Amino acid sequence: MIANDEMKSTVWKTTEALPLSAESLRMLFENKIPLIRIEQFAAPQECKMLVTQANLLGFDAYQNVNPKIERIGITVFEYNNIGKKDYFQAVAQASKEQYRITSASFNPLERLMATIQNQTGATARIASELLYGSYHAGLTRKIEQGTQLHIDYAPSEQPGWEVGTVVAQLSWNLYLQLSSNNHGKTYIYDRQWYPGDERHKLDSYGYSDKVVSGASSIVFQPQVGDVFIFNTRNYHTVESTKGHRMTFTSAMGLLPSGEIIFWS
Ligand SMILES: O=C(O)CCC(=O)C(=O)O
Ligand SMILES: [Fe+2]
């Protein structure tokens, strides 16, 4: 039982990004470290080809999100309002679009799942439900005007979905295109979401700065080709960029069984 706000913060044992291993992944799920970095996960040319294909296909903006975020692919976040059945009906089309991007270069999700299985021994698979089948996993996303302070945590946001049964949730981003070394940084706070925080929610996804008052934070500046993984139950925010900022990303969660599932 959490007694007060103070106990919710300052739990990280380091402020450094660690390389991927069974141990670092466990500590990230347990929120004992802020960040895992996989350097040179993809070659610059591989990233460039993904960017070209994504721009050819064209992006849609997230619904009900300000400032604007663009993406190719579908999200459980948006289908919360539309309906679960509709999400699963849209999965096939979303996979087709993803294939049009990745077939010209490589599939970052498949590479990440293989890397995780090889380096940690965990079972990694795309999330699925008995009744509906496979989730969609993998967004090509442009966050160029920044984000609000937010969390991504299916147990609170998608309680009626199988992804809502994860015991911890992370996000991984492969940085495909960045414009400037001084903008578009990502901030992560040493402060996780608790149900009482809902009184500080501002709109469809943003929270007031009050929830992180007094909490320490880390900031990272990605390079093209890097993967960064962090715990999205922790409050986080992305700065605006002058120019382009494109990533390939999905959510990943730990099931009580120890399996790691991926979805968007
Ligand atoms: O683009 C980023 O650096 C992080 C975006 C984000 O909010 C997430 O992956 O959950
Ligand atoms: Fe996020």
Side-chain angles (χ1 to χ4, degrees):
M1 196 61 195
I2 302 297
N4 58 43
D5 280 3
E6 223 167 291
M7 290 174 71
K8 293 175 188 167
S9 55
T10 323
V11 289
W12 292 335
K13 296 182 189 305
T14 173
T15 55
E16 302 294 315
L18 299 190
L20 176 67
S21 67
E23 176 73 352
S24 66
L25 191 61
R26 184 185 58 76
M27 290 199 292
L28 192 60
F29 274 125
E30 292 173 0
N31 189 36
K32 295 195 170 123
I33 59 167
L35 204 56
I36 288 175
R37 179 182 185 191
I38 312 177
E39 272 181 87
Q40 292 169 14
F41 176 84
Q45 189 57 25
E46 289 178 318
C47 296
K48 210 171 164 183
M49 274 159 22
L50 292 172
V51 169
T52 303
Q53 285 306 116
N55 284 330
L56 280 174
L57 198 59
F59 287 77
D60 287 322
Y62 273 76
Q63 293 168 30
N64 301 320
V65 166
N66 286 302
K68 180 170 88 169
I69 298 177
E70 290 169 280
R71 49 107 186 87
I72 299 171
I74 57 170
T75 61
V76 293
F77 166 73
E78 290 166 285
Y79 277 88
N80 263 348
N81 297 325
I82 303 168
K84 189 173 168 183
K85 200 168 149 233
D86 303 77
Y87 171 87
F88 285 98
Q89 277 170 358
V91 168
Q93 178 63 23
S95 321
K96 258 192 226 158
E97 287 181 4
Q98 186 179 91
Y99 185 72
R100 283 178 61 187
I101 298 172
T102 58
S103 57
S105 181
F106 78 107
N107 185 321
L109 176 70
E110 283 171 9
R111 184 178 295 178
L112 186 81
M113 292 201 306
T115 306
I116 286 180
Q117 295 216 149
N118 291 340
Q119 294 191 15
T120 75
T123 301
R125 63 169 176 86
I126 294 183
S128 68
E129 298 210 5
L130 219 51
L131 225 54
Y132 294 102
S134 192
Y135 281 72
H136 179 68
L139 302 175
T140 313
R141 184 166 65 191
K142 286 202 284 182
I143 301 180
E144 297 181 340
Q145 298 169 35
T147 70
Q148 298 186 50
L149 183 67
H150 73 280
I151 53 123
D152 308 281
Y153 190 51
S156 73
E157 295 175 288
Q158 283 80 38
W161 304 54
E162 185 169 78
V163 294
T165 65
V166 300
V167 294
Q169 183 173 329
L170 314 177
S171 167
W172 66 279
N173 280 270
L174 167 62
Y175 293 85
L176 302 175
Q177 185 182 34
L178 300 159
S179 288
S180 153
N181 277 334
N182 296 316
H183 298 96
K185 296 191 201 69
T186 307
Y187 289 81
I188 308 165
Y189 290 85
D190 195 354
R191 167 69 161 79
Q192 292 201 307
W193 172 90
Y194 286 90
D197 295 348
E198 286 308 283
R199 69 182 187 277
H200 296 299
K201 196 148 181 200
L202 301 175
D203 58 12
S204 69
Y205 87 108
Y207 287 80
S208 151
D209 286 349
K210 285 190 192 111
V211 292
V212 294
S213 79
S216 58
S217 66
I218 60 122
V219 56
F220 66 92
Q221 176 71 69
Q223 305 288 314
V224 166
D226 284 345
V227 163
F228 279 95
I229 316 175
F230 62 92
N231 193 314
T232 51
R233 183 175 173 168
N234 287 65
Y235 285 96
H236 56 282
T237 181
V238 179
E239 276 179 348
S240 67
T241 305
K242 289 193 174 123
H244 294 298
R245 187 183 187 281
M246 194 188 296
T247 72
F248 192 99
T249 183
S250 87
M252 54 190 277
L254 181 65
L255 288 177
S257 65
E259 283 180 303
I260 299 174
I261 53 170
F262 291 77
W263 76 95
S264 291

